[in-house]
Amino acid sequence: MDVESFFSEKRTWADGPYLHFVAVLDDPAYVAYAQAHHELLAPYGDRVGIVPAPWLHWTAQGVHHRLDDGQVETAVQAVREAARHAAPATVTMGPVWPGPSAVTVAMYPEEPLAAINTLVRAAMSAVPGVQLRESATRFWPHSTLAYFRSPSVHDAEFNRRLRTIRPERVEITISRLLAVHMYQDLDVGYYTWTPIAEIPLGAAEADAAAPEVVCGKTRTTATYGTTPPWGDSDAESEITVGRLAVQPPLSESQIRYESFASAALDDSTYFEDAEPPMPVWPDPVTVVCERPYGDGVCGSTRLRVRGSWNSPAVIICERGHSWQDTVEMMREVIVAAEPAR
Ligand SMILES: [Zn+2]
């Protein structure tokens, strides 16, 4: 059977990244489902681009030409407004389809996903300068497990082996979209992105009373150890913080002074007159959203932080702008949010 290489000339983007609206498929059940196929795919080496867990997604709609920052902001706001009238979609992932240029995962039922696609298209069509590709007569919701990078992958043997895997299908709920700058990463053979903004499907939940979190001041084994202090290290939490601050790192001389002072303080006879002055820590800096908004930057400090003990913090401002921070920040926010446990 003749198959295509996915990143053919006609599919290669001229000047990406391009604005896309995706749902990140990071549900651990779906990640396990996808990974159940990796053993089959691994022997094909770089003839396939296996999509790693962080990049599993469903594309609700993409734009395939460049936009300026103002157009991106307008499009994101338009989709955000429209998405308030949408609803989360619960769908079944599977079965797997070996297609002509990629291995894809079916998503059913199709209607709620098609409805989200229609809504995003309608919102974006109203943005000056945005041109969408013609829509298919019937929207095809799918998620890609792997892209073929060579025409010699997907033979009869490949199909037979794929058919023997058949993991149980999994149900997931898509409750938010992520606006991203989408890249075709031709070196690895799949798509990657940088996040722009998160968009809830349906009205956003009310803010809960939120703790202030200062990260980086108490680098303890509790926050930096490999095991969580409680619970499942892969369980996702989303925590609203009243103010998120980061402690700038100490300078080298401050670190030396700290260790000198604490060693000296252990020996109470060391200081003849008085204890040395405490080292001056730099003031914590409040985390501010720096995404463009209107004529300037967003500037929001009302933030939510999402992730698990083992995943980097995703920080989302009140306008839905989102960006990624470190695993360490996520751990400190988890510890700060549930100090009693
Ligand atoms: Zn923002």
Side-chain angles (χ1 to χ4, degrees):
M1 188 192 311
D2 252 12
V3 297
E4 301 164 19
S5 187
F6 183 86
F7 293 101
S8 61
E9 217 150 280
K10 75 177 156 80
R11 282 209 191 83
T12 303
W13 294 349
D15 58 352
Y18 296 146
L19 174 65
H20 274 48
F21 293 86
V22 303
V24 180
L25 303 183
D26 56 1
D27 186 307
Y30 179 62
V31 170
Y33 179 91
Q35 285 172 344
H37 301 84
H38 286 191
E39 205 174 315
L40 162 76
L41 297 166
Y44 291 89
D46 59 12
R47 288 186 291 154
V48 292
I50 303 173
V51 182
W55 306 117
L56 291 168
H57 68 279
W58 164 62
T59 300
Q61 181 63 48
V63 180
H64 296 88
H65 62 91
R66 281 300 276 267
L67 300 175
D68 64 32
D69 285 351
Q71 287 172 311
V72 167
E73 188 61 42
T74 308
V76 170
Q77 292 306 329
V79 171
R80 176 184 312 290
E81 190 48 44
R84 294 169 58 84
H85 310 292
T90 296
V91 294
T92 300
M93 304 299 293
V96 161
W97 288 316
S101 61
V103 181
T104 54
V105 180
M107 301 172 76
Y108 287 109
E110 296 188 339
E111 291 78 15
L113 300 172
I116 293 167
N117 165 258
T118 302
L119 173 145
V120 173
R121 285 186 69 91
M124 291 178 74
S125 303
V127 178
V130 170
Q131 286 176 318
L132 298 176
R133 285 181 180 169
E134 197 104 330
S135 63
T137 20
R138 184 176 162 202
F139 181 70
W140 176 44
H142 66 279
S143 176
T144 300
L145 282 186
Y147 300 94
F148 300 145
R149 307 177 72 197
S150 149
S152 66
V153 174
H154 164 203
D155 55 13
E157 176 59 19
F158 181 95
N159 272 269
R160 270 190 213 100
R161 291 177 62 195
L162 194 58
R163 203 173 59 200
T164 63
I165 298 173
R166 304 197 314 278
E168 282 291 329
R169 290 181 289 178
V170 296
E171 194 174 88
I172 63 165
T173 297
I174 293 172
S175 56
R176 56 184 106 92
L177 299 179
L178 191 64
V180 300
H181 288 300
M182 186 71 98
Y183 293 82
Q184 276 186 332
D185 194 332
L186 298 180
D187 289 339
V188 290
Y190 47 83
Y191 291 82
T192 61
W193 59 75
T194 53
I196 301 168
E198 188 172 284
I199 297 167
L201 296 167
E205 67 278 27
D207 285 350
E212 173 171 296
V213 179
V214 179
C215 293
K217 187 139 192 175
T218 51
R219 305 216 155 191
T220 64
T221 44
T223 52
Y224 285 81
T226 49
T227 44
W230 53 81
D232 175 358
S233 53
D234 290 320
E236 190 173 89
S237 350
E238 180 163 317
I239 297 156
T240 304
V241 289
R243 185 174 81 99
L244 182 62
V246 289
Q247 177 69 54
L250 290 176
S251 68
E252 277 305 310
S253 66
Q254 285 169 317
I255 291 167
R256 282 197 300 277
Y257 188 87
E258 277 274 278
S259 77
F260 160 75
S262 68
L265 285 168
D266 285 343
D267 175 1
S268 58
T269 64
Y270 188 90
F271 299 107
E272 291 178 351
D273 298 327
E275 289 181 6
M278 291 304 287
V280 180
W281 282 70
D283 286 335
V285 175
T286 300
V287 175
V288 175
C289 176
E290 292 172 359
R291 299 286 320 165
Y293 185 72
D295 293 333
V297 296
C298 171
S300 170
T301 58
R302 289 167 47 125
L303 306 173
R304 287 174 296 133
V305 181
R306 176 161 5 88
S308 72
W309 191 258
N310 289 332
S311 67
V314 174
I315 303 176
I316 308 121
C317 88
E318 63 193 302
R319 297 193 178 91
H321 301 140
S322 84
W323 62 97
Q324 202 172 72
D325 210 288
T326 60
V327 172
E328 285 74 18
M329 176 177 277
M330 191 66 231
R331 291 181 176 187
E332 294 195 27
V333 170
I334 290 173
V335 170
E338 306 193 53
R341 289 173 68 170

